Amino acid sequence: MLDFPVWKKVWFWGVALICAALALPSLFSLANAPWPSALPNAQVNLGLDLAGGSHILLEAEKGQVAQQRIENMEESVRARFRAASPGIAIGDISRTNGRLSFMLKDASQVDAARDELVNLTTGAGLTGQRDWDIRVEDGNRFILTPTQEGLDQATSDAMDSAIEVVRKRIDALGTREPTIIRQGDARIVVQVPGLDDPDALKQLIGQTAKLEFKMVDENAAPNDVANGIAPPGDEIVPYAEGSEVGGVSAIAVKRLGGIKGDQLTNAQQSFEQQTNRPVVSITFNQQGGAKFAELTQQNVGKRFAIILDGKVLSAPSINEPILGGSAQIAGSFSVESATQLAIALRSGALPVDLTVVEERTVGPDLGADSIKKGLIAMGVGSLLVIALMVGSYGRFGIYATFALIINVLMILGIMAQIGTTLTLPGIAGFVLTIGAAVDANVLIYERIREERKRGRRVFTSVENGYKEASRAIYDANITNFIAGVLLFAFGSGPVRGFAVVLIIGLFTSVFTGVAMTRMWVAGWLRAKRPADLTI
């Protein structure tokens, strides 16, 4: 075990030096010293508690999920019945009281309609229940009610989608290592370290960005629209602030048959050529572009409303068919608001509105104080450990000290390279690692002492010491590794930060404390051939 060929020495030193070099940008940054821009500069990300930043708690409106399910079911029922052969005509449709009801114009089609509706329902997760309850009353009236199991499943799916949308929007800001986790059934925790403008973040992730293009009902009576009375098949939609035209605050649009913005492939802030005002240029995918072209071809000379989050941005006339799948969204935008809208549209619409229910800002001064105290703790702890090791084991203690220093640098370098986040509990994990890192050396050195007391020769004592102690070291680190993995898998935020430092530290401490110190001890023994050991 004390035989180290050249290739193995090169391998050990190469791994250690490369990992240690990767830590240098982080050390320069912590010391506020300049780092050459020409060199790689991957640094350890500091968490919210160290770098400062924003903590926002978002809550979804669960009632909106139920309402959206009913609206989507109405569109699905209409499309399904139109495509049926023969077609199924319906009338007297209602979406009140949390359910969808409609009457068949031909009562003889009840069985055919039921078969079509059953195909629109699915199982709700693993509950064994359907997501919709279908009843027939008075011979030809269908009543579709979403089941609680279906609503719970829809809410869960909406929250999963909302987390992905929020993550995409925050990533678009160029922010590193945000924490976005689900809390309970309908809440999302967002923590963004180092964010300079928390209000912009709140505005961006709180915007639903549901984009719709709907035809304006030119025949709606202005007085009815002003009083909020929608003609059959229409809905009244208010203008966004600053977008009103001629003192009109709302317009009537066709409730069905428009185009939704979920088929966008790109959205960019740009400027209108004639007025140089900020606008958002959008591009549809092939299917969306075909729908948009068809809509504009069939309605030349009419107006269509561009609706964002339930408010009309503008209602221009279609002067000619808009082909090519591209369009511009105009409104009372600034460059900043147009850029934020473009980011929101690129990220996709939130499946449900999110409301900020809690907001906290952590100042960078508090984080800097935490870093300072953490570094002091690490420095004091390191000095005490080094003094104890050198005083107790002499030359072998010096080997353990070098291994400890390389171990700390390797942890920092690996964390910087894989882009993990260092939090306040992570610093605690660092300090803990310093103590745990020398445990392996203590076990080995004590074992060597025992071997010498038994009268074994120097080489045999060292070889047996490393061999026998390594088993206990590996067993202990395996159990710690399992604990760290469980912390990472089931923990969140700072707990996961602690787990990351712990797991990385386990590997690096075994590498430096066992493998590298054995290489150094073996080299010294072969070079000096001592007759006895002072350990």
Side-chain angles (χ1 to χ4, degrees):
M1 292 185 68
L2 297 179
D3 185 24
F4 280 84
V6 175
W7 70 265
K8 187 177 284 187
K9 293 179 183 178
V10 172
W11 167 250
F12 282 179
W13 275 112
V15 171
L17 292 178
I18 290 175
C19 292
L22 294 175
L24 293 180
S26 301
L27 296 177
F28 274 72
S29 176
L30 291 174
N32 292 322
W35 174 256
S37 58
L39 299 177
N41 62 350
Q43 299 176 10
V44 174
N45 301 317
L46 298 181
L48 184 70
D49 47 3
L50 297 180
S54 293
H55 167 102
I56 294 176
L57 180 62
L58 302 166
E59 186 173 60
E61 297 183 14
K62 298 175 72 172
Q64 189 185 46
V65 176
Q67 184 62 30
Q68 286 179 350
R69 281 179 59 77
I70 294 175
E71 293 176 2
N72 294 337
M73 178 57 86
E74 180 186 352
E75 291 192 22
S76 298
V77 169
R78 288 181 182 275
R80 192 91 184 187
F81 285 2
R82 277 197 303 269
S85 180
I88 302 174
I90 61 175
D92 190 22
I93 195 163
S94 171
R95 296 185 300 182
T96 59
N97 300 323
R99 62 186 189 179
L100 175 67
S101 66
F102 55 87
M103 186 174 63
L104 296 185
K105 292 185 177 180
D106 184 356
S108 65
Q109 292 182 305
V110 168
D111 291 338
R114 182 191 290 276
D115 292 341
E116 296 290 346
L117 293 175
V118 168
N119 290 330
L120 290 176
T121 65
T122 59
L126 301 176
T127 62
Q129 302 294 321
R130 306 297 290 182
D131 57 347
W132 287 84
D133 177 61
I134 303 174
R135 289 189 297 118
V136 180
E137 294 183 354
D138 303 328
N140 65 340
R141 175 172 289 280
F142 278 86
I143 298 177
L144 278 65
T145 306
T147 62
Q148 187 59 49
E149 291 79 9
L151 285 175
D152 292 342
Q153 182 65 42
T155 301
S156 178
D157 293 343
M159 294 302 295
D160 291 341
S161 299
I163 287 175
E164 288 305 312
V165 172
V166 170
R167 187 182 305 280
K168 288 180 182 177
R169 293 183 182 182
I170 293 177
D171 288 345
L173 293 176
T175 306
R176 302 175 69 188
E177 287 296 312
T179 299
I180 306 169
I181 57 175
R182 185 170 169 182
Q183 185 181 78
D185 294 336
R187 289 188 168 186
I188 299 173
V189 175
V190 179
Q191 293 182 340
V192 186
L195 186 71
D196 296 329
D197 191 357
D199 290 336
L201 171 70
K202 192 167 57 176
Q203 184 178 355
L204 177 61
I205 63 178
Q207 185 176 21
T208 304
K210 182 180 179 183
L211 183 65
E212 298 172 288
F213 298 86
K214 293 187 174 182
M215 296 308 302
V216 176
D217 187 353
E218 304 286 2
N219 298 321
N223 289 336
D224 288 345
V225 174
N227 293 324
I229 302 174
D234 287 1
E235 61 180 331
I236 305 298
V237 183
Y239 273 99
E241 184 178 353
S243 301
E244 298 88 348
V245 178
V248 177
S249 60
I251 58 175
V253 299
K254 296 293 183 183
R255 189 161 51 85
L256 302 176
I259 297 175
K260 295 182 179 179
D262 55 356
Q263 293 174 322
L264 295 179
T265 58
N266 194 17
Q268 293 286 342
Q269 184 272 322
S270 59
F271 294 94
E272 193 175 35
Q273 290 186 351
Q274 295 179 346
T275 63
N276 204 33
R277 292 188 306 174
V279 296
V280 178
S281 299
I282 59 175
T283 305
F284 288 98
N285 60 17
Q286 185 175 7
Q287 186 179 8
K291 283 186 175 180
F292 195 68
E294 182 182 2
L295 176 73
T296 54
Q297 282 176 329
Q298 295 176 350
N299 296 281
V300 172
K302 299 178 181 177
R303 292 197 303 157
F304 72 104
I306 302 174
I307 304 171
L308 180 67
D309 293 344
K311 294 184 178 179
V312 177
L313 295 178
S314 62
S317 295
I318 303 174
N319 298 322
E320 58 183 13
I322 302 175
L323 309 176
S326 298
Q328 285 187 338
I329 302 174
S332 54
F333 294 130
S334 63
V335 173
E336 291 76 15
S337 61
T339 301
Q340 286 195 348
L341 176 58
I343 293 174
L345 292 176
R346 286 201 304 271
S347 306
L350 286 171
V352 61
D353 290 346
L354 297 175
T355 305
V356 178
V357 296
E358 181 182 317
E359 178 186 359
R360 287 188 282 114
T361 301
V362 180
D365 293 340
L366 180 62
D369 187 56
S370 300
I371 293 174
K372 181 180 178 182
K373 291 181 178 178
L375 291 176
I376 292 175
M378 288 178 62
V380 173
S382 299
L383 289 175
L384 292 176
V385 169
I386 290 171
L388 178 64
M389 292 300 292
V390 175
S392 300
Y393 302 107
R395 170 183 291 275
F396 287 77
I398 295 174
Y399 292 148
T401 298
F402 279 121
L404 178 63
I405 295 172
I406 294 176
N407 179 41
V408 172
L409 293 176
M410 288 183 70
I411 295 174
L412 274 177
I414 293 173
M415 289 183 67
Q417 197 60 26
I418 64 178
T420 57
T421 300
L422 179 63
T423 62
L424 196 56
I427 290 182
F430 245 111
V431 177
L432 181 63
T433 302
I434 290 174
V438 296
D439 280 352
N441 296 110
V442 171
L443 288 173
I444 294 168
Y445 298 162
E446 290 299 325
R447 187 69 184 179
I448 294 175
R449 279 181 175 175
E450 292 177 3
E451 294 293 321
R452 286 293 296 157
K453 288 178 182 177
R454 291 176 183 173
R456 300 192 189 278
R457 294 187 302 171
V458 171
F459 270 73
T460 304
S461 299
V462 173
E463 186 168 354
N464 287 346
Y466 272 98
K467 182 178 179 181
E468 297 299 328
S470 294
R471 296 174 183 171
I473 294 169
Y474 293 147
D475 289 344
N477 280 284
I478 288 173
T479 57
N480 286 331
F481 176 76
I482 294 172
V485 170
L486 293 177
L487 280 175
F488 185 83
F490 298 103
S492 62
V495 176
R496 300 184 77 177
F498 175 83
V500 168
V501 176
L502 178 65
I503 293 172
I504 296 175
L506 291 176
F507 285 99
T508 57
S509 63
V510 171
F511 178 75
T512 57
V514 179
M516 294 204 71
T517 59
R518 187 171 61 189
M519 179 180 68
W520 296 333
V521 170
W524 174 71
L525 289 177
R526 293 193 179 280
K528 300 298 181 180
R529 299 283 178 178
D532 195 7
L533 287 178
T534 303
I535 185 172

